[in-house]
């Protein structure tokens, strides 16, 4: 059962009251720590914290602990707001960090850019593990249509971020399993020797390969049925950006890697005033030689 409490700042706080035992009065505790939200349509997404579910309303939803939080995920009230989940009218959700110092991971990958959430995503917020799920799809795996992936990816702020050729990893959007991309690359396909095995008839034995290059990570298509990145089928190969979604068969993976550190321009050295030449020293006055007076002639 979900309850709703409207705070003075007009934000509806999040929470879920436990279902009472049979025969118990169906009344909320007056001083319950968690308060709920107004009744939401059954298809609205939820955040699972332990055995409790918190519905997400359309618009921004603040996750963390303490003052100003909509969904409490930890007991430490000093944690503050760590993440914000923006929910669109069609229930699609995008998660972003509340600030540069916020500690947020999605399926084990540190969150940098705003990232679309999918059913079953595992979130780590301030060291606490929670789950994102669609209340109407509990127990089912959500396979997003290519057009939905493209539309969700377009909601990132700014352009796609290039990566370095280190720290490459793929996270399965099916079960949350993480695969590191080694220095010699990783293959994806139906063959049991593949680094990532996708056991589907429409997947080739060697369907695709991801390997580091001088400028980041490249994915190359070796298949007949194609590789899709953010809903677009590859021609042959493409450089990957952080948070790209790769689809092979019906399986989807989110890519991540280290991003280059942009060095701040060095501050110009402080200007040094030109040295002032010393004032010329005054020369002592030169005494003029005495002028001899003429000698008067002595009269004879």
């Amino acid at each position: 059962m979900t309850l709703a409490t409207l705070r003075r700042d007009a934000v509806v706080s999040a929470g879920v009251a436990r279902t009472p035992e049979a025969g118990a009065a169906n009344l909320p505790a007056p001083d319950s720590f968690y308060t709920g939200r107004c009744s939401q349509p059954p298809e609205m997404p939820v955040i699972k914290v332990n055995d409790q579910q918190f519905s997400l309303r359309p618009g921004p939803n603040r996750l963390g602990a303490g003052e100003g939080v909509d969904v409490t995920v930890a007991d430490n009230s000093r944690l503050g707001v760590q993440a914000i989940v923006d929910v669109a009218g069609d229930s699609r959700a995008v998660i972003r960090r509340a600030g540069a110092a916020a500690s947020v991971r999605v399926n084990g990958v540190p969150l940098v850019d705003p990232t679309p959430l999918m059913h079953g995503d595992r979130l780590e917020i301030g060291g606490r593990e929670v789950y994102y799920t669609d209340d109407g799809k509990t127990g089912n795996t959500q396979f997003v249509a290519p057009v939905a992936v493209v539309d969700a990816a377009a909601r990132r702020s700014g352009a796609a971020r290039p990566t370095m050729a280190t720290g490459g990893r793929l996270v399965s959007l099916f079960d949350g399993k993480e695969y590191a991309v080694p220095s010699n690359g990783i293959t994806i396909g139906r063959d049991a020797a593949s680094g990532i095995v996708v056991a589907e008839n429409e997947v080739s034995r060697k369907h695709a390969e991801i390997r580091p290059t001088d400028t980041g990570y490249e994915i190359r298509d070796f298949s007949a049925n194609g590789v899709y990145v953010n809903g677009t089928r590859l021609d042959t190969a493409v450089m990957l950006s952080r948070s790209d979604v790769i689809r092979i068969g019906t399986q989807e993976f989110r890519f991540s890697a280290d991003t280059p550190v942009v060095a701040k321009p060095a501050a110009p050295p402080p200007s040094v005033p030109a040295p002032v030449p010393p004032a010329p020293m005054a020369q002592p006055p030169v005494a003029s030689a005495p002028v001899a007076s003429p000698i008067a002639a002595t009269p004879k």
Side-chain angles (χ1 to χ4, degrees):
M1 180 181 66
T2 305
L3 308 173
T5 297
L6 186 64
R7 301 204 308 256
R8 291 182 179 180
D9 58 0
V11 174
V12 181
S13 59
V16 173
R18 296 180 182 275
T19 303
E21 299 294 336
N26 190 12
L27 295 174
D31 296 323
S32 175
F33 176 77
Y34 290 109
T35 55
R37 293 176 182 262
C38 298
S39 298
Q40 299 284 4
E43 67 273 9
M44 292 304 293
V46 300
I47 293 291
K48 287 186 176 182
V49 183
N50 293 330
D51 58 346
Q52 302 190 42
Q53 294 188 8
F54 299 86
S55 59
L56 301 177
R57 66 171 184 270
N61 299 263
R62 297 163 293 187
L63 280 61
E67 189 68 25
V69 166
D70 299 319
V71 177
T72 299
V73 301
D75 299 327
N76 183 7
S77 61
R78 293 179 297 178
L79 185 64
V81 179
Q82 293 288 305
I84 298 175
V85 177
D86 295 304
V87 179
D90 56 3
S91 299
R92 287 203 302 270
V94 174
I95 188 171
R96 53 190 168 93
R97 292 188 298 168
S103 175
V104 182
R105 289 174 175 264
V106 178
N107 296 319
V109 179
L111 179 64
V112 177
D113 298 316
T115 298
L117 287 175
M118 298 184 184
H119 175 76
D121 276 350
R122 174 171 50 90
L123 313 178
E124 186 179 321
I125 300 174
R128 183 69 173 270
E129 191 173 276
V130 300
Y131 289 87
Y132 171 85
T133 184
D134 191 314
D135 197 35
K137 299 182 178 64
T138 302
N140 298 321
T141 301
Q142 178 183 10
F143 299 105
V144 179
V147 64
V149 173
V150 172
D151 187 56
R155 297 181 58 168
R156 301 177 198 160
S157 61
R161 296 185 62 182
T163 71
M164 300 172 63
T166 58
R169 51 200 178 274
L170 293 171
V171 176
S172 169
L173 300 181
F174 174 76
D175 57 11
K177 187 174 181 180
E178 183 173 337
Y179 303 87
V181 180
S183 59
N184 60 344
I186 191 170
T187 58
I188 308 171
R190 194 175 77 249
D191 195 297
S194 300
I196 302 176
V197 178
V198 180
E200 298 178 1
N201 291 333
E202 62 270 26
V203 174
S204 302
R205 292 184 180 276
K206 182 180 180 180
H207 199 95
E209 183 179 35
I210 298 175
R211 63 171 51 249
T213 69
D214 293 338
T215 56
Y217 285 88
E218 178 190 74
I219 182 170
R220 184 169 291 274
D221 183 11
F222 295 96
S223 71
N225 291 323
V227 174
Y228 293 81
V229 177
N230 299 327
T232 301
R233 182 169 178 169
L234 298 189
D235 184 11
T236 302
V238 71
M239 297 301 295
L240 291 170
S241 297
R242 192 175 180 121
S243 297
D244 279 348
V245 174
I246 301 165
R247 182 165 67 87
I248 293 178
T250 62
Q251 301 294 308
E252 291 178 324
F253 304 87
R254 183 177 288 127
F255 172 77
S256 185
D258 297 333
T259 53
V261 177
V262 180
K264 295 182 178 179
S271 57
V272 179
V276 179
M281 298 181 60
Q283 297 294 329
V286 179
S288 57
V291 179
S293 56
I295 301 173
T298 302
K300 297 183 179 178

